[in-house]
Amino acid sequence: MPSPSHVPVSPDRAGVTAGPDVWTAAEASDDFRELRARLLRFVLPATAGFLGWLFLFVGLSAWAPGLLGTRVLGDLTLVLVLAIGQFVTTFAITALYVRYAGRRLDPLADEIRERLERGHR
């Protein structure tokens, strides 16, 4: 296996050739750490919230089938409302992430990429 200093490099989409040391330095930068922190500030709570909601639904399905059979409106039962809620939640989280990424992640990622491209032409 080649050592990191002898790893072949290839041009990225902008035609910039960068070795492993460039990417290591970029990863160690304050901007990259901030980018990762911003990502985690969205991803961790969203994942925890959705998994909690999913496990609640599964738990109720397993241990409270009588409750889930409760009619909410006409023949519409609570289980169907909660199941549809899972889909709605998935699309809502996706929409929120796209908005968050466009406002908080993409501008900083573009800045980092541009700095790397300027420094290695």
Side-chain angles (χ1 to χ4, degrees):
M1 173 170 235
S3 68
S5 62
H6 295 91
V7 173
V9 295
S10 60
D12 67 8
R13 63 189 166 137
V16 176
T17 302
D21 56 327
V22 171
W23 302 117
T24 302
E27 183 181 18
S29 73
D30 289 338
D31 282 344
F32 188 81
R33 281 196 294 270
E34 175 61 24
L35 181 64
R36 293 285 301 163
R38 289 180 187 184
L39 176 67
L40 292 176
R41 275 194 292 270
F42 182 90
V43 170
L44 293 179
T47 301
F50 184 78
L51 287 176
W53 163 225
L54 176 66
F55 292 143
L56 174 68
F57 177 65
V58 171
L60 287 173
S61 297
W63 292 293
L67 173 66
L68 293 180
T70 304
R71 293 188 187 282
V72 177
L73 181 66
D75 288 334
L76 185 65
T77 60
L78 184 58
V79 70
L80 187 54
V81 171
L82 294 178
I84 291 170
Q86 290 288 316
F87 287 101
V88 171
T89 303
T90 300
F91 288 111
I93 289 172
T94 301
L96 289 170
Y97 177 77
V98 167
R99 182 172 182 238
Y100 182 81
R103 292 172 59 202
R104 303 280 294 150
L105 302 177
D106 294 346
L108 184 55
D110 290 343
E111 223 176 89
I112 294 168
R113 187 190 70 246
E114 288 170 11
R115 190 173 327 113
L116 286 170
E117 289 173 353
R118 273 193 317 268
H120 296 93
R121 285 195 190 249

PDB file of all heavy atoms in Angstrom, residues 1-16:
ATOM      1  N   MET A   1       0.847  -1.182   0.000  1.00  0.00           N
ATOM      2  CA  MET A   1       0.000   0.000   0.000  1.00  0.00           C
ATOM      3  C   MET A   1       0.890   1.242   0.000  1.00  0.00           C
ATOM      4  O   MET A   1       1.807   1.347   0.802  1.00  0.00           O
ATOM      5  CB  MET A   1      -0.902  -0.045   1.238  1.00  0.00           C
ATOM      6  CG  MET A   1      -1.710   1.203   1.438  1.00  0.00           C
ATOM      7  SD  MET A   1      -2.925   0.955   2.731  1.00  0.00           S
ATOM      8  CE  MET A   1      -4.358   1.392   1.828  1.00  0.00           C
ATOM      9  N   PRO A   2       0.607   2.198  -0.883  1.00  0.00           N
ATOM     10  CA  PRO A   2       1.456   3.393  -0.939  1.00  0.00           C
ATOM     11  C   PRO A   2       1.275   4.259   0.295  1.00  0.00           C
ATOM     12  O   PRO A   2       0.218   4.296   0.894  1.00  0.00           O
ATOM     13  CB  PRO A   2       0.977   4.126  -2.193  1.00  0.00           C
ATOM     14  CG  PRO A   2      -0.353   3.567  -2.526  1.00  0.00           C
ATOM     15  CD  PRO A   2      -0.442   2.218  -1.877  1.00  0.00           C
ATOM     16  N   SER A   3       2.345   4.946   0.662  1.00  0.00           N
ATOM     17  CA  SER A   3       2.248   5.857   1.800  1.00  0.00           C
ATOM     18  C   SER A   3       1.437   7.074   1.380  1.00  0.00           C
ATOM     19  O   SER A   3       1.321   7.365   0.193  1.00  0.00           O
ATOM     20  CB  SER A   3       3.645   6.280   2.260  1.00  0.00           C
ATOM     21  OG  SER A   3       4.236   7.083   1.263  1.00  0.00           O
ATOM     22  N   PRO A   4       0.844   7.813   2.353  1.00  0.00           N
ATOM     23  CA  PRO A   4       0.016   8.972   2.007  1.00  0.00           C
ATOM     24  C   PRO A   4       0.715   9.989   1.110  1.00  0.00           C
ATOM     25  O   PRO A   4       0.088  10.637   0.300  1.00  0.00           O
ATOM     26  CB  PRO A   4      -0.336   9.581   3.356  1.00  0.00           C
ATOM     27  CG  PRO A   4      -0.232   8.447   4.324  1.00  0.00           C
ATOM     28  CD  PRO A   4       0.862   7.563   3.776  1.00  0.00           C
ATOM     29  N   SER A   5       2.035  10.135   1.239  1.00  0.00           N
ATOM     30  CA  SER A   5       2.728  11.120   0.408  1.00  0.00           C
ATOM     31  C   SER A   5       2.871  10.637  -1.035  1.00  0.00           C
ATOM     32  O   SER A   5       3.204  11.416  -1.910  1.00  0.00           O
ATOM     33  CB  SER A   5       4.102  11.435   0.997  1.00  0.00           C
ATOM     34  OG  SER A   5       4.889  10.263   1.009  1.00  0.00           O
ATOM     35  N   HIS A   6       2.625   9.337  -1.282  1.00  0.00           N
ATOM     36  CA  HIS A   6       2.747   8.799  -2.629  1.00  0.00           C
ATOM     37  C   HIS A   6       1.401   8.384  -3.208  1.00  0.00           C
ATOM     38  O   HIS A   6       1.346   7.685  -4.203  1.00  0.00           O
ATOM     39  CB  HIS A   6       3.703   7.599  -2.638  1.00  0.00           C
ATOM     40  CG  HIS A   6       5.103   7.984  -2.293  1.00  0.00           C
ATOM     41  ND1 HIS A   6       5.562   7.967  -1.010  1.00  0.00           N
ATOM     42  CD2 HIS A   6       6.117   8.439  -3.059  1.00  0.00           C
ATOM     43  CE1 HIS A   6       6.822   8.366  -0.988  1.00  0.00           C
ATOM     44  NE2 HIS A   6       7.183   8.668  -2.224  1.00  0.00           N
ATOM     45  N   VAL A   7       0.324   8.813  -2.582  1.00  0.00           N
ATOM     46  CA  VAL A   7      -1.003   8.491  -3.100  1.00  0.00           C
ATOM     47  C   VAL A   7      -1.215   9.292  -4.372  1.00  0.00           C
ATOM     48  O   VAL A   7      -0.975  10.497  -4.392  1.00  0.00           O
ATOM     49  CB  VAL A   7      -2.100   8.840  -2.054  1.00  0.00           C
ATOM     50  CG1 VAL A   7      -3.483   8.666  -2.654  1.00  0.00           C
ATOM     51  CG2 VAL A   7      -1.927   7.982  -0.824  1.00  0.00           C
ATOM     52  N   PRO A   8      -1.644   8.627  -5.456  1.00  0.00           N
ATOM     53  CA  PRO A   8      -1.869   9.376  -6.686  1.00  0.00           C
ATOM     54  C   PRO A   8      -2.990  10.389  -6.498  1.00  0.00           C
ATOM     55  O   PRO A   8      -3.932  10.139  -5.763  1.00  0.00           O
ATOM     56  CB  PRO A   8      -2.264   8.310  -7.705  1.00  0.00           C
ATOM     57  CG  PRO A   8      -2.415   7.049  -6.974  1.00  0.00           C
ATOM     58  CD  PRO A   8      -1.925   7.234  -5.575  1.00  0.00           C
ATOM     59  N   VAL A   9      -2.854  11.507  -7.142  1.00  0.00           N
ATOM     60  CA  VAL A   9      -3.888  12.537  -7.072  1.00  0.00           C
ATOM     61  C   VAL A   9      -4.505  12.697  -8.444  1.00  0.00           C
ATOM     62  O   VAL A   9      -3.889  12.412  -9.455  1.00  0.00           O
ATOM     63  CB  VAL A   9      -3.326  13.887  -6.580  1.00  0.00           C
ATOM     64  CG1 VAL A   9      -2.835  13.780  -5.162  1.00  0.00           C
ATOM     65  CG2 VAL A   9      -2.229  14.389  -7.488  1.00  0.00           C
ATOM     66  N   SER A  10      -5.741  13.131  -8.455  1.00  0.00           N
ATOM     67  CA  SER A  10      -6.407  13.372  -9.731  1.00  0.00           C
ATOM     68  C   SER A  10      -7.054  14.736  -9.696  1.00  0.00           C
ATOM     69  O   SER A  10      -7.407  15.233  -8.627  1.00  0.00           O
ATOM     70  CB  SER A  10      -7.443  12.280  -9.979  1.00  0.00           C
ATOM     71  OG  SER A  10      -8.397  12.288  -8.954  1.00  0.00           O
ATOM     72  N   PRO A  11      -7.233  15.333 -10.848  1.00  0.00           N
ATOM     73  CA  PRO A  11      -7.849  16.658 -10.871  1.00  0.00           C
ATOM     74  C   PRO A  11      -9.303  16.577 -10.431  1.00  0.00           C
ATOM     75  O   PRO A  11      -9.990  15.619 -10.736  1.00  0.00           O
ATOM     76  CB  PRO A  11      -7.746  17.083 -12.327  1.00  0.00           C
ATOM     77  CG  PRO A  11      -7.099  15.997 -13.072  1.00  0.00           C
ATOM     78  CD  PRO A  11      -6.848  14.867 -12.144  1.00  0.00           C
ATOM     79  N   ASP A  12      -9.742  17.584  -9.694  1.00  0.00           N
ATOM     80  CA  ASP A  12     -11.150  17.642  -9.325  1.00  0.00           C
ATOM     81  C   ASP A  12     -11.920  18.232 -10.507  1.00  0.00           C
ATOM     82  O   ASP A  12     -11.371  18.452 -11.572  1.00  0.00           O
ATOM     83  CB  ASP A  12     -11.366  18.429  -8.037  1.00  0.00           C
ATOM     84  CG  ASP A  12     -11.044  19.905  -8.164  1.00  0.00           C
ATOM     85  OD1 ASP A  12     -10.791  20.360  -9.294  1.00  0.00           O
ATOM     86  OD2 ASP A  12     -11.049  20.587  -7.138  1.00  0.00           O
ATOM     87  N   ARG A  13     -13.203  18.497 -10.307  1.00  0.00           N
ATOM     88  CA  ARG A  13     -14.038  18.947 -11.421  1.00  0.00           C
ATOM     89  C   ARG A  13     -13.591  20.281 -12.005  1.00  0.00           C
ATOM     90  O   ARG A  13     -13.928  20.613 -13.126  1.00  0.00           O
ATOM     91  CB  ARG A  13     -15.497  18.999 -10.989  1.00  0.00           C
ATOM     92  CG  ARG A  13     -15.764  19.982  -9.887  1.00  0.00           C
ATOM     93  CD  ARG A  13     -17.160  19.829  -9.374  1.00  0.00           C
ATOM     94  NE  ARG A  13     -17.250  20.550  -8.128  1.00  0.00           N
ATOM     95  CZ  ARG A  13     -18.250  21.303  -7.789  1.00  0.00           C
ATOM     96  NH1 ARG A  13     -19.279  21.405  -8.576  1.00  0.00           N
ATOM     97  NH2 ARG A  13     -18.264  21.928  -6.649  1.00  0.00           N
ATOM     98  N   ALA A  14     -12.845  21.075 -11.253  1.00  0.00           N
ATOM     99  CA  ALA A  14     -12.375  22.355 -11.779  1.00  0.00           C
ATOM    100  C   ALA A  14     -10.990  22.225 -12.411  1.00  0.00           C
ATOM    101  O   ALA A  14     -10.396  23.212 -12.807  1.00  0.00           O
ATOM    102  CB  ALA A  14     -12.342  23.391 -10.655  1.00  0.00           C
ATOM    103  N   GLY A  15     -10.449  20.998 -12.475  1.00  0.00           N
ATOM    104  CA  GLY A  15      -9.139  20.798 -13.052  1.00  0.00           C
ATOM    105  C   GLY A  15      -8.011  21.071 -12.086  1.00  0.00           C
ATOM    106  O   GLY A  15      -6.871  21.173 -12.482  1.00  0.00           O
ATOM    107  N   VAL A  16      -8.317  21.197 -10.807  1.00  0.00           N
ATOM    108  CA  VAL A  16      -7.301  21.485  -9.802  1.00  0.00           C
ATOM    109  C   VAL A  16      -6.761  20.168  -9.276  1.00  0.00           C
ATOM    110  O   VAL A  16      -7.517  19.273  -8.925  1.00  0.00           O
ATOM    111  CB  VAL A  16      -7.916  22.301  -8.635  1.00  0.00           C
ATOM    112  CG1 VAL A  16      -6.885  22.523  -7.543  1.00  0.00           C
ATOM    113  CG2 VAL A  16      -8.456  23.615  -9.147  1.00  0.00           C
TER     114      VAL A  16
END
